[in-house]
Amino acid sequence: MTLPQRSRDTSFTGDTETYGEECPHKHLSQVTHGYLSQSHYGHLNVVLKNYILERHSEEQWKTILKEVNHSGNFQSSEKHDDGLTQKVINAAVDTLGLKRDAFLTLVGEYFMEYLIKNSYDELIRNLGANTLEFIQNLDFVQTYLKEEYQEEVMPSFRCEGDSVSDRMTLHYYSVRPGYTYFITGFLTAVAKSQYGMQLSINILSVTTETVAQEKGYREHVIINILAKKPEEQPDTEGPPTFVAQTPKNAERQILKTDVDAVRARLEEILRTQGEDALPLNKYRSAKAKWKAIAKISLFSKGFVPSYPQQSAINPKMFIDVFPFHLIFDSEMKLYQTGVRLQKMMPSIRSRMAKVTDFFTLKYPRCTDFTFENVKNFVMCPFILEVQKGRLAKDFVQYDPFQIKGQMFMLMDRNFFFFICSPVVRSWPDLEKRQMKMADIPIWDATRDFLLTDLTYRIAAGQTTVVEQDTTLLLEQQRLMALSIEDKEKLTLLQKDLDREKHRHDSLYHAFLPRQVANMIREGRSYHGEYFPEMTAMFCDVVQFINLVANCKPADVVGVLNSLYTRFDKVTKVHDTYRVESIGDAYFVVSGVPEKIDNHAERIANTALGMIYLSHEVSNPMTGARIQIRIGIHTGSMICGVVGTKLPRFIVLGETAVVASKMESHGEPGKIHISPSTYRLLKGKGFTLEDRGRIELRGFGPIGTFFLTGNEHASDDDLVGRSKLTNQDIAFINEGHVHDHKKANQTPSSGVGSRPPTGDSEFATFAY
């Protein structure tokens, strides 16, 4: 199935873009049926987020998140519906006042910087000597991501055979429509920074094709690319008919001696082998013939290669030298196979044998094994797996057996030549299949990989580690075999891995706020930030010194553990962050590192919940309730992360000092707040008492207040505790009222509702 082609005259050159009146992806809903319901890993969402935060502002990112109704906690390892990504892009376009094409181009250019920041700079520098070579090798790089991102269908890039380093026609295939300008922006940035070239890009057509029965939809974009040095002026007359007509440097590009040499060679072939042997016979016009002659010279960078009149290797020797290879025609019938494959599958020698009868295409993913698809994805490394029951009895231990290699188009016969090697990942993998090193050709790089690994381990003296690693590799190989035979088992294994990642993240978040931990995991640094307004709270236990002096150590620790366990859950209820707890001092902040407007309300509700829960803990000396004292202040603060082995989040500034003094000058069982916090809480349903003016050491006389309650919430609401079994758990929605069951009613309590998380008797929810 191919939708009608949409040709575009849309182009941009270098840093200044010129866009057509209509974006080729304007009517995405008309061409993407079956696309947007798919989920993809969140790399693009992370890139979008980082781009807006670094190139624009945090306020604009918050506006975008509000429009799409999302928290913005994107992770590259998590899957998201592509519809969400499209919503983020549309919201960003509206918020930033940019055209969609221009925005995606800018994000694509930023993507190169993002890759360099994440340690891919060596790969980008060394992937190719020019833009054409860079593009032609992108598919190869992506094959090494296929194990990490199971079932993800990677985009594919292929330049037409007559492309050269400064003029190329790119075919771009993707299961995700609408991102063409992201790709062109990325290629433009790479060409400029790595090769000093300015690209002129013209999108020729955008179509939708089907390459497989299941998940086979692809957006197929054909792009014309011209690469020029920045000082060269773009052609105003359009591309030449062929390169010999190029006005500038024509003599340097095609030498007369080169043309004469090509002509003499063609005349010799005609005289000795006849007209059918001419490589230009398929061209009908003299103009096309001379165009091909010119390209021969360009491909060879100024010289004409010498080709033998006939191959020096006969077919018998060929199948011995290349024991793993296939040659098949347009009907997928096998014309020639390597000797090793013939030994493994004797029936493959039949004249009627088809490659699809013996092999299943494993990569590229979600692609039917057809001749046309091989042509479309010829720049991809191909992985074929021998079908069950095809291996001879002496080779059944090889199963599952895969071969990986490259497809070459044999133009004169319309055949494909697949030169390949067995997929062997490790020594245990080799031994498990009862294969030997001799089964792999000497010229095959797989031998070098295995021997290099062994040499490194011997040099490092890792005899014990080798045994442990061998066991691990055997287990990995066993799991790989299960994933091939049973997709459900692979799914369960992936879920186990996700749970382990979640445990790792939870441990990391114990030391850092969620937003900061996510930044560090994504490779970004948190160097410190100034916050003009946030709220801090200090809490301590009344008469704690007497408690330590008169109780057993286990009792003292037990009291603190009971308090802090309850307090930690209250901070989760209101999404505040505990910075530190030393002895009986408990320090909580809100409004950092994520700037929010209701930081004072969150701290106030946290403090009220802590007062309520402290009544559940008894004094081991007297049996009476433990009393705590709390102080709150709102002001400016500096925050950052210190340390590398065990990073810690710190806050610095006068606000912390004043909050500590409010606590020390407070009264047992009460919440003492400063005038700045009072101004933010006044009129929002909180019960406040005027304490009058007190002498605050270091600050002089100051009027302070006591916070005694929240008129809109009960004690159970403040601690996220369900009153009735199977009831929704209430949460405080600061300044707003919402109930997901009664969208059109206004509860009198000022409390919304949210289903319980099931973690404990305390619920964790957002405001």
Side-chain angles (χ1 to χ4, degrees), residues 3 13 56 120 171 177 198 208 247 266 304 355 404 581 614 646 659 672-673 755:
L3 295 183
T13 304
H56 297 278
Y120 287 97
H171 292 255
Q198 176 178 296
T208 303
L266 293 175
V304 179
V355 63
K404 177 182 178 181
S581 55
S614 67
L646 187 62
H672 193 201
I673 67 174

Side-chain angles (χ1 to χ4, degrees), residues 638-651:
I638 295 175
C639 303
V641 175
V642 296
T644 54
K645 185 175 181 180
L646 187 62
R648 301 293 295 181
F649 182 74
I650 62 170
V651 293

